[in-house]
Amino acid sequence: MKIIRIFFALSVLFVSLPALGQIEQTRHTPNLAGNRALIREFLHGITISYVEADDGSKYFVHEDPLSSTAFAALVPDGITVNDMDIFAGYLYFCGTYTKDGNTQGIVGLFNITNLYGWGMPYYISPLDWVNDETGASVRMTRPLRVGRTVDTQPAGIHVPIVGEIEIRDAAGNITSQTGLCAAYIDGLLSTWKYSFYYTPNPDIVFTDITRTDNFYVAVGRHEGNRSTVIKTFNSTFPFTQSPVSSDISEVNDNKTEGDVLVTALGGEDFALVNYYHDASEAGSTVKIMDATNPINIPVCIRLPQNTSPVLSPSWLLREIQYDTFNNILFVLQDMDYPVSSSTASTVCEYKPLLSSNSGLYTQPGYSAHGMGAWTGGGFQIVGDDAGKLTYMRKVSGQNSACRETTTKNHVTYTLDANQTYNSDISTLIKSQCLTIPVITDSIKFIDDCLIK
């Protein structure tokens, strides 16, 4: 196996380590699992995945479905990646770095072509203490999700992050809550800078962030009110450091529980998804909104998942992705009703900008942790299928050629001026999928079924 040495920068310290290797085809692999895996498309079906092995080692894997060889770049010891995204040839990510029992938040990125083609470095930095305008100091201890960015070289790269923060006042007292971080690295990829946003109300919990054409949109929930909260920034960077909450919008159409996830749809439109319950039922809801007027909800799609107002402890929203080429929104969640009697990973599809919405469920039959949009016309997921790192790519609107899919009607509710719902039963579509399990001692992708 040919090993290329790459370099990783943590703050100002550069450490050399072997991180890139050519992977041969074999037939079996127990050493990689997908229970903490992420996947994003790079170029026309070429993907970058973050995966963790049973021995604790972690990799960024570059895979081209037209090639028999995949490439794995080793993630430095102590680093765990919680989320990642790709834009303009760069993969940027957030997570944590643990050494000698101490854990701190980190942000990082790399140029995909330079890393896999030339062994160039990662650029990773800790999210250390920053003074804000109130005299307090803020740092992000556990970044959870990175948001979409449209800013890139030569001016620099901006990475919006949501996660857990610590606030240290002038007396040295430290409190914890959630907040937002605007990370910026200059065009030379040499210096990181940060600013933070948080509110004085710890009941406001931020859980995701994205960017429309002209706004950054952060979403979450209000613990006390059980509402969905939305915060928009109409300037690029930095985020406002002074803690203010008067400009945070609240949506109170039902009771919000758990994480709220968000993705941009193009222009100023964005979609968010969250679990809800009301007096009679519980389930998940997708709302289509406009960053210029985030309290307006032109479309709300409710998916009842329980006939009583109780959320199952097994439900988990994992990812929301949007296929801009085909105008399809995908939500990956673990759900045990109504699709399955036991908890299973399920991808729900929506046509967010049309008057009717498709009601397609796709269940891979294994635990899927990560999902990414795919320009082949659908989505791709990565997960752990009995110890095998397994990928599934699925094209919408065609009959399935491999794993079973399940269909069910969604109900679209359009909010009128009186905030009432008008139901519109949607049509059904079918799907086709491509499954590529990784079943090698190293890392090898083998076609399990092909799109005809």
Side-chain angles (χ1 to χ4, degrees):
M1 180 182 294
K2 182 180 179 182
I3 299 294
I4 300 175
R5 302 182 71 85
I6 70 167
F7 298 89
F8 138 65
L10 180 59
S11 188
V12 296
L13 180 65
F14 287 80
V15 181
S16 175
L17 51 126
L20 196 62
Q22 185 169 342
I23 310 303
E24 298 292 331
Q25 264 192 2
T26 56
R27 278 280 198 188
H28 303 282
T29 185
N31 68 326
L32 282 179
N35 59 333
R36 282 189 54 85
L38 301 166
I39 186 169
R40 299 290 183 263
E41 185 178 54
F42 173 39
L43 289 172
H44 307 298
I46 299 174
T47 60
I48 309 295
S49 304
Y50 166 79
V51 297
E52 297 185 0
D54 290 340
D55 62 5
S57 57
K58 300 153 190 174
Y59 303 89
F60 287 114
V61 180
H62 179 290
E63 189 265 330
D64 184 343
L66 300 179
S67 173
S68 61
T69 303
F71 295 90
L74 182 66
V75 175
D77 288 343
I79 285 182
T80 297
V81 175
N82 292 330
D83 195 22
M84 67 185 196
D85 214 336
I86 293 176
F87 180 76
Y90 285 86
L91 184 145
Y92 48 98
F93 57 91
C94 69
T96 56
Y97 175 61
T98 301
K99 183 178 182 181
D100 300 329
N102 298 315
T103 299
Q104 63 187 128
I106 57 106
V107 59
L109 58 80
F110 59 84
N111 181 296
I112 297 171
T113 300
N114 288 349
L115 173 70
Y116 290 101
W118 304 99
M120 297 296 286
Y122 299 108
Y123 299 90
I124 306 175
S125 179
L127 296 170
D128 218 340
W129 294 103
V130 172
N131 294 328
D132 70 12
E133 297 170 358
T134 69
S137 298
V138 188
R139 69 173 179 175
M140 184 165 282
T141 54
R142 187 167 174 254
L144 298 174
R145 295 185 184 271
V146 297
R148 174 178 176 263
T149 184
V150 295
D151 302 286
T152 183
Q153 301 255 27
I157 301 174
H158 303 274
V159 185
I161 311 170
V162 62
E164 298 172 6
I165 65 171
E166 288 183 342
I167 306 164
R168 183 174 60 195
D169 64 20
N173 301 310
I174 295 178
T175 57
S176 300
Q177 59 181 77
T178 63
L180 312 173
C181 175
Y184 168 82
I185 188 170
D186 61 27
L188 298 177
L189 303 181
S190 60
T191 303
W192 286 93
K193 296 180 180 180
Y194 321 97
S195 66
F196 292 92
Y197 174 89
Y198 60 98
T199 81
N201 186 353
D203 277 350
I204 294 178
V205 179
F206 290 109
T207 55
D208 202 3
I209 189 169
T210 191
R211 175 164 177 154
T212 65
D213 283 358
N214 294 293
F215 294 87
Y216 285 92
V217 180
V219 299
R221 67 183 182 275
H222 190 296
E223 290 280 21
N225 299 340
R226 286 290 182 249
S227 60
T228 297
V229 296
I230 303 168
K231 165 63 182 173
T232 60
F233 298 87
N234 58 11
S235 58
T236 307
F237 279 84
F239 290 158
T240 303
Q241 290 184 317
S242 298
V244 294
S245 57
S246 59
D247 55 351
I248 294 179
S249 303
E250 286 192 58
V251 179
N252 291 286
D253 61 333
N254 45 54
K255 299 298 184 183
T256 300
E257 300 286 350
D259 287 353
V260 182
L261 305 184
V262 65
T263 187
L265 300 179
E268 303 308 331
D269 291 329
F270 64 91
L272 60 81
V273 61
N274 63 272
Y275 286 123
Y276 75 92
H277 67 86
D278 55 24
S280 60
E281 66 183 28
S284 56
T285 175
V286 174
K287 296 180 177 69
I288 311 304
M289 310 175 81
D290 185 332
T292 62
N293 184 15
I295 202 64
N296 180 47
I297 311 171
V299 176
C300 175
I301 309 165
R302 289 160 63 102
L303 173 60
Q305 294 171 241
N306 198 344
T307 54
S308 62
V310 177
L311 274 75
S312 168
S314 301
W315 295 354
L316 176 65
L317 290 175
R318 291 194 178 273
E319 296 223 40
I320 181 171
Q321 295 284 336
Y322 180 58
D323 176 5
T324 58
F325 294 94
N326 298 280
N327 182 33
I328 304 175
L329 188 69
F330 305 101
V331 176
L332 172 62
Q333 62 171 312
D334 292 342
M335 58 192 296
D336 55 9
Y337 182 88
V339 178
S340 171
S341 60
S342 60
T343 301
S345 295
T346 304
V347 179
C348 301
E349 296 186 22
Y350 305 86
K351 285 276 192 178
L353 302 180
L354 299 182
S355 58
S356 63
N357 283 274
S358 4
L360 176 68
Y361 289 76
T362 298
Q363 287 191 289
Y366 55 85
S367 177
H369 182 267
M371 177 181 65
W374 177 41
T375 54
F379 67 88
Q380 49 194 340
I381 55 177
V382 58
D384 183 14
D385 187 2
K388 302 171 184 177
L389 182 68
T390 302
Y391 289 73
M392 174 187 286
R393 289 191 175 100
K394 189 193 72 66
V395 175
S396 297
Q398 302 179 33
N399 292 326
S400 175
C402 46
R403 291 183 184 268
E404 297 278 334
T405 61
T406 306
T407 57
K408 180 181 175 62
N409 283 336
H410 292 169
V411 182
T412 301
Y413 297 85
T414 302
L415 292 180
D416 62 21
N418 297 317
Q419 301 287 296
T420 60
Y421 291 114
N422 299 310
S423 62
D424 175 24
I425 301 300
S426 64
T427 58
L428 300 177
I429 62 172
K430 296 182 179 181
S431 69
Q432 183 171 358
C433 58
L434 170 67
T435 303
I436 307 178
V438 178
I439 50 173
T440 69
D441 285 333
S442 49
I443 306 173
K444 177 61 195 125
F445 300 80
I446 297 176
D447 291 345
D448 186 53
C449 73
L450 297 174
I451 295 175
K452 304 299 184 183

